[in-house]
Amino acid sequence: MAFDINTLLRENIKSLVPYSSARSEFQGQGNIMVDANENAYGSPLAQAYNRYPDPLQWDLKSKITAIKGVPPSNIFLGNGSDEAIDLLFRAFCEPGEDNVIILPPTYGMYQVSAQINDIACKEVPLLRNFQLDMEGIEASIDEHTKMIFICSPNNPTGNSIDVRSIETILMHFPGLVVVDEAYINYARQKSLTYALKEFPNLVVLQTLSKAWGLAGIRLGLAFSNEEIIQVLNQIKPPYNINQATQELALEALNGKNGITQVNQWIKDCVQQRGIMAAELQSMDQVIEVIPSEANFLLVRFEKVKELFQYLLKQGIVVRDRSSVPLCENSLRITIGKPEENRQILDAIKNFYQN
Ligand SMILES: *Cc1c(COP(=O)(O)O)cnc(C)c1O
């Protein structure tokens, strides 16, 4: 199926004349910079933050290219992945008219973002094994379906989605297939970025919020074909990634120690995940530990509500997912440091012994 971005874009976006900021009209270093109404002296902070940041974050993107192997023109950076999700809705979905498909149980932001943008969400629940219901998805697609959101590894279930199913959808669905890889660093499966050349309708989302340990600086990544990236860049707020975030992200990605450290954390987390899963599995009151490819475990417990309250009283805050369809009786537990994990296991054992 030939990809044509013009059949997907909203009319108002096609005819948009983007805002042109001072920093996008002049790039580089002049001697006297008086084009952007900034304070020429500096700021009270040690670092200078008096200048507007690079609207297209080229330094940071070239570093990301070096790590991910995706060219800068195929990268969009957002104020968290959440900004990329919202911008996709705003670019491609006509309020009150278009729809998207989501595959619950999954990440809540797709639905919230859809609702904010007045876009209908068609829900095609995952199968019992948390894989895609391919027939259900096919049956739900209509001429107004613009996007399908696939989270892999999925939050809150933790499993990876079968790549062949994703590729089948990419091949046959004429709209955008958004694959959210927030947890890809913990998975055996490799990123779908390898398929960007083959599938112009693919958008891959990643983030520095999880494995990279930088949830506080808000940096989300979207990889896609150049046309889609260009549209996102045109409709984003001009300076969506602030200077401090650009500097800190660059520092984290640059450090020789940085990547080594992150890889070590990922290894430790995966190892701890295995230990936690095995210990939980061995408890009589644990109904099921869902095999995880992420940095958390979804676990079905007996007396789940009481356990949740008990853990809270011990100061242990887990996510209660027991009211989510297909996640009955479950808590989602993020893998912490070894001593934290030990305390969680002990607390669960204590709860059931009393
Ligand atoms: C945590 C998470 C994100 C990250 O969102 P940011 O806005 O980048 O912090 C994205 N998708 C999923 C499924 C997540 O669980």
mmCIF file of all heavy atoms in Angstrom, residues 262-286:
data_model
loop_
_atom_site.group_PDB
_atom_site.id
_atom_site.type_symbol
_atom_site.label_atom_id
_atom_site.label_comp_id
_atom_site.label_asym_id
_atom_site.label_seq_id
_atom_site.Cartn_x
_atom_site.Cartn_y
_atom_site.Cartn_z
ATOM 1 N N VAL A 262 24.362 2.863 32.461
ATOM 2 C CA VAL A 262 22.970 2.531 32.115
ATOM 3 C C VAL A 262 22.855 1.041 31.775
ATOM 4 O O VAL A 262 21.936 0.359 32.231
ATOM 5 C CB VAL A 262 22.481 3.416 30.952
ATOM 6 C CG1 VAL A 262 21.149 2.909 30.396
ATOM 7 C CG2 VAL A 262 22.318 4.855 31.426
ATOM 8 N N ASN A 263 23.799 0.546 30.992
ATOM 9 C CA ASN A 263 23.758 -0.878 30.639
ATOM 10 C C ASN A 263 23.884 -1.777 31.865
ATOM 11 O O ASN A 263 23.252 -2.829 31.944
ATOM 12 C CB ASN A 263 24.857 -1.213 29.622
ATOM 13 C CG ASN A 263 24.484 -0.713 28.233
ATOM 14 O OD1 ASN A 263 23.304 -0.556 27.927
ATOM 15 N ND2 ASN A 263 25.484 -0.456 27.415
ATOM 16 N N GLN A 264 24.697 -1.337 32.823
ATOM 17 C CA GLN A 264 24.826 -2.105 34.051
ATOM 18 C C GLN A 264 23.507 -2.106 34.831
ATOM 19 O O GLN A 264 23.066 -3.137 35.337
ATOM 20 C CB GLN A 264 25.962 -1.509 34.916
ATOM 21 C CG GLN A 264 26.320 -2.361 36.131
ATOM 22 C CD GLN A 264 26.748 -3.773 35.732
ATOM 23 O OE1 GLN A 264 27.580 -3.966 34.846
ATOM 24 N NE2 GLN A 264 26.162 -4.790 36.376
ATOM 25 N N TRP A 265 22.857 -0.941 34.906
ATOM 26 C CA TRP A 265 21.551 -0.862 35.581
ATOM 27 C C TRP A 265 20.542 -1.795 34.917
ATOM 28 O O TRP A 265 19.760 -2.454 35.601
ATOM 29 C CB TRP A 265 21.007 0.569 35.533
ATOM 30 C CG TRP A 265 21.603 1.508 36.542
ATOM 31 C CD1 TRP A 265 22.121 1.187 37.760
ATOM 32 C CD2 TRP A 265 21.725 2.924 36.414
ATOM 33 N NE1 TRP A 265 22.560 2.315 38.401
ATOM 34 C CE2 TRP A 265 22.329 3.409 37.603
ATOM 35 C CE3 TRP A 265 21.387 3.850 35.427
ATOM 36 C CZ2 TRP A 265 22.593 4.759 37.821
ATOM 37 C CZ3 TRP A 265 21.637 5.188 35.640
ATOM 38 C CH2 TRP A 265 22.245 5.640 36.822
ATOM 39 N N ILE A 266 20.555 -1.796 33.587
ATOM 40 C CA ILE A 266 19.595 -2.641 32.864
ATOM 41 C C ILE A 266 19.847 -4.112 33.206
ATOM 42 O O ILE A 266 18.922 -4.873 33.514
ATOM 43 C CB ILE A 266 19.709 -2.417 31.334
ATOM 44 C CG1 ILE A 266 19.255 -0.995 30.986
ATOM 45 C CG2 ILE A 266 18.885 -3.443 30.564
ATOM 46 C CD1 ILE A 266 19.615 -0.549 29.576
ATOM 47 N N LYS A 267 21.131 -4.502 33.204
ATOM 48 C CA LYS A 267 21.497 -5.895 33.532
ATOM 49 C C LYS A 267 21.052 -6.254 34.947
ATOM 50 O O LYS A 267 20.446 -7.299 35.184
ATOM 51 C CB LYS A 267 23.017 -6.070 33.433
ATOM 52 C CG LYS A 267 23.465 -6.925 32.263
ATOM 53 C CD LYS A 267 24.970 -6.951 32.141
ATOM 54 C CE LYS A 267 25.554 -8.255 32.657
ATOM 55 N NZ LYS A 267 27.047 -8.211 32.571
ATOM 56 N N ASP A 268 21.351 -5.342 35.887
ATOM 57 C CA ASP A 268 20.964 -5.581 37.282
ATOM 58 C C ASP A 268 19.451 -5.704 37.407
ATOM 59 O O ASP A 268 18.944 -6.564 38.127
ATOM 60 C CB ASP A 268 21.444 -4.429 38.184
ATOM 61 C CG ASP A 268 22.968 -4.385 38.288
ATOM 62 O OD1 ASP A 268 23.618 -5.355 37.825
ATOM 63 O OD2 ASP A 268 23.503 -3.385 38.802
ATOM 64 N N CYS A 269 18.747 -4.818 36.711
ATOM 65 C CA CYS A 269 17.285 -4.798 36.807
ATOM 66 C C CYS A 269 16.710 -6.117 36.282
ATOM 67 O O CYS A 269 15.828 -6.716 36.904
ATOM 68 C CB CYS A 269 16.738 -3.613 36.018
ATOM 69 S SG CYS A 269 14.944 -3.530 35.999
ATOM 70 N N VAL A 270 17.234 -6.569 35.147
ATOM 71 C CA VAL A 270 16.736 -7.818 34.554
ATOM 72 C C VAL A 270 17.028 -8.997 35.492
ATOM 73 O O VAL A 270 16.188 -9.887 35.683
ATOM 74 C CB VAL A 270 17.364 -8.039 33.159
ATOM 75 C CG1 VAL A 270 17.107 -9.449 32.648
ATOM 76 C CG2 VAL A 270 16.813 -7.006 32.179
ATOM 77 N N GLN A 271 18.190 -8.957 36.122
ATOM 78 C CA GLN A 271 18.538 -10.027 37.061
ATOM 79 C C GLN A 271 17.619 -10.008 38.281
ATOM 80 O O GLN A 271 17.088 -11.042 38.694
ATOM 81 C CB GLN A 271 20.004 -9.875 37.486
ATOM 82 C CG GLN A 271 20.503 -11.066 38.272
ATOM 83 C CD GLN A 271 21.832 -10.759 38.968
ATOM 84 O OE1 GLN A 271 22.151 -9.603 39.258
ATOM 85 N NE2 GLN A 271 22.591 -11.800 39.237
ATOM 86 N N GLN A 272 17.419 -8.813 38.833
ATOM 87 C CA GLN A 272 16.513 -8.662 39.981
ATOM 88 C C GLN A 272 15.092 -9.070 39.628
ATOM 89 O O GLN A 272 14.376 -9.657 40.446
ATOM 90 C CB GLN A 272 16.522 -7.204 40.465
ATOM 91 C CG GLN A 272 17.753 -6.822 41.241
ATOM 92 C CD GLN A 272 17.797 -7.506 42.606
ATOM 93 O OE1 GLN A 272 16.839 -7.461 43.358
ATOM 94 N NE2 GLN A 272 18.893 -8.166 42.897
ATOM 95 N N ARG A 273 14.689 -8.751 38.402
ATOM 96 C CA ARG A 273 13.352 -9.124 37.928
ATOM 97 C C ARG A 273 13.195 -10.639 37.980
ATOM 98 O O ARG A 273 12.168 -11.164 38.420
ATOM 99 C CB ARG A 273 13.166 -8.609 36.493
ATOM 100 C CG ARG A 273 11.802 -8.816 35.905
ATOM 101 C CD ARG A 273 11.772 -8.279 34.476
ATOM 102 N NE ARG A 273 12.497 -9.134 33.550
ATOM 103 C CZ ARG A 273 12.918 -8.759 32.336
ATOM 104 N NH1 ARG A 273 12.697 -7.529 31.893
ATOM 105 N NH2 ARG A 273 13.564 -9.617 31.571
ATOM 106 N N GLY A 274 14.241 -11.360 37.564
ATOM 107 C CA GLY A 274 14.211 -12.818 37.590
ATOM 108 C C GLY A 274 14.099 -13.362 39.010
ATOM 109 O O GLY A 274 13.310 -14.277 39.282
ATOM 110 N N ILE A 275 14.877 -12.757 39.910
ATOM 111 C CA ILE A 275 14.851 -13.199 41.304
ATOM 112 C C ILE A 275 13.478 -12.950 41.923
ATOM 113 O O ILE A 275 12.886 -13.835 42.551
ATOM 114 C CB ILE A 275 15.950 -12.460 42.118
ATOM 115 C CG1 ILE A 275 17.336 -12.869 41.628
ATOM 116 C CG2 ILE A 275 15.780 -12.711 43.614
ATOM 117 C CD1 ILE A 275 18.481 -12.015 42.171
ATOM 118 N N MET A 276 12.955 -11.732 41.704
ATOM 119 C CA MET A 276 11.628 -11.377 42.225
ATOM 120 C C MET A 276 10.569 -12.325 41.683
ATOM 121 O O MET A 276 9.716 -12.828 42.429
ATOM 122 C CB MET A 276 11.243 -9.956 41.788
ATOM 123 C CG MET A 276 12.007 -8.844 42.407
ATOM 124 S SD MET A 276 11.376 -8.438 44.034
ATOM 125 C CE MET A 276 10.013 -7.343 43.638
ATOM 126 N N ALA A 277 10.614 -12.562 40.369
ATOM 127 C CA ALA A 277 9.588 -13.402 39.729
ATOM 128 C C ALA A 277 9.617 -14.804 40.333
ATOM 129 O O ALA A 277 8.577 -15.370 40.678
ATOM 130 C CB ALA A 277 9.811 -13.448 38.219
ATOM 131 N N ALA A 278 10.828 -15.356 40.501
ATOM 132 C CA ALA A 278 10.949 -16.715 41.025
ATOM 133 C C ALA A 278 10.441 -16.789 42.465
ATOM 134 O O ALA A 278 9.692 -17.706 42.823
ATOM 135 C CB ALA A 278 12.402 -17.170 40.942
ATOM 136 N N GLU A 279 10.815 -15.809 43.277
ATOM 137 C CA GLU A 279 10.381 -15.846 44.681
ATOM 138 C C GLU A 279 8.877 -15.677 44.812
ATOM 139 O O GLU A 279 8.238 -16.337 45.629
ATOM 140 C CB GLU A 279 11.117 -14.760 45.488
ATOM 141 C CG GLU A 279 12.572 -15.113 45.726
ATOM 142 C CD GLU A 279 13.058 -14.676 47.105
ATOM 143 O OE1 GLU A 279 12.227 -14.586 48.038
ATOM 144 O OE2 GLU A 279 14.264 -14.401 47.220
ATOM 145 N N LEU A 280 8.331 -14.776 44.010
ATOM 146 C CA LEU A 280 6.881 -14.556 44.075
ATOM 147 C C LEU A 280 6.149 -15.819 43.621
ATOM 148 O O LEU A 280 5.185 -16.262 44.234
ATOM 149 C CB LEU A 280 6.493 -13.359 43.197
ATOM 150 C CG LEU A 280 6.873 -11.990 43.778
ATOM 151 C CD1 LEU A 280 6.842 -10.912 42.702
ATOM 152 C CD2 LEU A 280 5.923 -11.622 44.916
ATOM 153 N N GLN A 281 6.634 -16.395 42.536
ATOM 154 C CA GLN A 281 6.021 -17.607 41.986
ATOM 155 C C GLN A 281 5.953 -18.726 43.024
ATOM 156 O O GLN A 281 5.023 -19.523 43.038
ATOM 157 C CB GLN A 281 6.860 -18.078 40.782
ATOM 158 C CG GLN A 281 6.143 -19.009 39.842
ATOM 159 C CD GLN A 281 5.167 -18.259 38.943
ATOM 160 O OE1 GLN A 281 5.562 -17.614 37.988
ATOM 161 N NE2 GLN A 281 3.886 -18.324 39.281
ATOM 162 N N SER A 282 6.960 -18.753 43.904
ATOM 163 C CA SER A 282 7.023 -19.852 44.864
ATOM 164 C C SER A 282 6.037 -19.670 46.032
ATOM 165 O O SER A 282 5.874 -20.556 46.865
ATOM 166 C CB SER A 282 8.447 -19.979 45.415
ATOM 167 O OG SER A 282 8.695 -18.911 46.306
ATOM 168 N N MET A 283 5.393 -18.512 46.106
ATOM 169 C CA MET A 283 4.432 -18.293 47.208
ATOM 170 C C MET A 283 3.070 -18.867 46.821
ATOM 171 O O MET A 283 2.582 -18.646 45.716
ATOM 172 C CB MET A 283 4.271 -16.789 47.483
ATOM 173 C CG MET A 283 5.521 -16.112 47.974
ATOM 174 S SD MET A 283 5.159 -14.354 48.291
ATOM 175 C CE MET A 283 6.813 -13.697 48.311
ATOM 176 N N ASP A 284 2.431 -19.567 47.786
ATOM 177 C CA ASP A 284 1.136 -20.208 47.517
ATOM 178 C C ASP A 284 0.058 -19.191 47.139
ATOM 179 O O ASP A 284 -0.839 -19.493 46.373
ATOM 180 C CB ASP A 284 0.664 -20.977 48.760
ATOM 181 C CG ASP A 284 1.538 -22.192 49.004
ATOM 182 O OD1 ASP A 284 2.205 -22.630 48.034
ATOM 183 O OD2 ASP A 284 1.567 -22.676 50.153
ATOM 184 N N GLN A 285 0.162 -17.990 47.707
ATOM 185 C CA GLN A 285 -0.915 -17.011 47.502
ATOM 186 C C GLN A 285 -0.722 -16.183 46.231
ATOM 187 O O GLN A 285 -1.535 -15.322 45.923
ATOM 188 C CB GLN A 285 -1.004 -16.065 48.709
ATOM 189 C CG GLN A 285 -1.327 -16.758 50.011
ATOM 190 C CD GLN A 285 -0.065 -17.290 50.705
ATOM 191 O OE1 GLN A 285 1.033 -17.293 50.135
ATOM 192 N NE2 GLN A 285 -0.237 -17.736 51.939
ATOM 193 N N VAL A 286 0.366 -16.451 45.531
ATOM 194 C CA VAL A 286 0.560 -15.771 44.246
ATOM 195 C C VAL A 286 -0.094 -16.618 43.164
ATOM 196 O O VAL A 286 0.259 -17.783 42.965
ATOM 197 C CB VAL A 286 2.057 -15.555 43.957
ATOM 198 C CG1 VAL A 286 2.272 -15.125 42.512
ATOM 199 C CG2 VAL A 286 2.624 -14.503 44.901
#
